[in-house]
Amino acid sequence: QPFSHGIFSSRMSTEQENTEMHLIECMLKHFKTQKVAISNAIRSTFPFLESLRDREFITGKMYEDLLDSCRSLVPVDKVIYRALEELEKKFDMTVLCELFNEVNMEKYPNLNLIRRSFECGI
């Protein structure tokens, strides 16, 4: 009986992993469709890019490249979109936690509606 319990536990964890993977896939798909809206909602690079760099979602080099783009008069929304493309490559639930953290929600109130669209997706 302990052996069969072990198999049942393994099956449960596999089912949980599959459910979690499906959730992440759905969130990634939604993230992809929302990148333009997100980049439009984030109207300034600070503190968004600094937070991504400080928490190692983007490298220091990527951070500098993005700031150089701003200095070269590339519109902020296009710079933010490039950062979001980088986040897409590493997408997991921590990306959403970072994107919708308390500081960002306060600084960029237009993210609220987008965040709610993710909550509805769950």
Side-chain angles (χ1 to χ4, degrees), residues 1-15:
Q1 285 185 359
F3 181 75
S4 63
H5 177 69
I7 292 172
F8 181 72
S9 295
S10 295
R11 186 180 321 133
M12 287 300 290
S13 65
T14 301
E15 287 173 14

Side-chain angles (χ1 to χ4, degrees), residues 53 58-66:
R53 180 202 54 202
I58 61 173
T59 64
K61 180 176 180 355
M62 177 78 171
Y63 170 78
E64 291 300 330
D65 289 348
L66 293 169

Side-chain angles (χ1 to χ4, degrees), residues 56-73:
E56 299 182 347
F57 284 94
I58 61 173
T59 64
K61 180 176 180 355
M62 177 78 171
Y63 170 78
E64 291 300 330
D65 289 348
L66 293 169
L67 288 185
D68 284 345
S69 294
C70 284
R71 286 191 277 274
S72 300
L73 304 180

Side-chain angles (χ1 to χ4, degrees), residues 92-108:
D92 62 17
M93 295 310 259
T94 64
V95 167
L96 294 180
C97 291
E98 179 60 25
L99 178 61
F100 299 119
N101 71 32
E102 189 176 337
V103 172
N104 287 341
M105 298 310 296
E106 189 174 306
K107 176 72 176 183
Y108 314 112

Side-chain angles (χ1 to χ4, degrees), residues 22-76:
H22 179 70
L23 176 63
I24 290 170
E25 287 171 17
C26 289
M27 292 292 106
L28 173 58
K29 189 173 185 176
H30 189 62
F31 178 81
K32 288 178 180 181
T33 68
Q34 295 299 307
K35 284 189 305 191
V36 170
I38 295 166
S39 63
N40 191 47
I42 298 175
R43 309 301 277 171
S44 62
T45 60
F46 183 84
F48 184 69
L49 294 182
E50 285 73 11
S51 181
L52 293 181
R53 180 202 54 202
D54 294 349
R55 294 190 174 104
E56 299 182 347
F57 284 94
I58 61 173
T59 64
K61 180 176 180 355
M62 177 78 171
Y63 170 78
E64 291 300 330
D65 289 348
L66 293 169
L67 288 185
D68 284 345
S69 294
C70 284
R71 286 191 277 274
S72 300
L73 304 180
V74 173
V76 170

Side-chain angles (χ1 to χ4, degrees), residues 74-118:
V74 173
V76 170
D77 57 346
K78 290 186 178 184
V79 172
I80 298 301
Y81 190 89
R82 278 186 48 213
L84 295 173
E85 287 180 315
E86 194 65 22
L87 295 180
E88 183 181 325
K89 295 175 190 173
K90 308 171 183 183
F91 189 85
D92 62 17
M93 295 310 259
T94 64
V95 167
L96 294 180
C97 291
E98 179 60 25
L99 178 61
F100 299 119
N101 71 32
E102 189 176 337
V103 172
N104 287 341
M105 298 310 296
E106 189 174 306
K107 176 72 176 183
Y108 314 112
N110 291 339
L111 283 177
N112 276 302
L113 190 60
I114 299 165
R115 184 189 70 197
R116 282 195 288 272
S117 76
F118 279 92

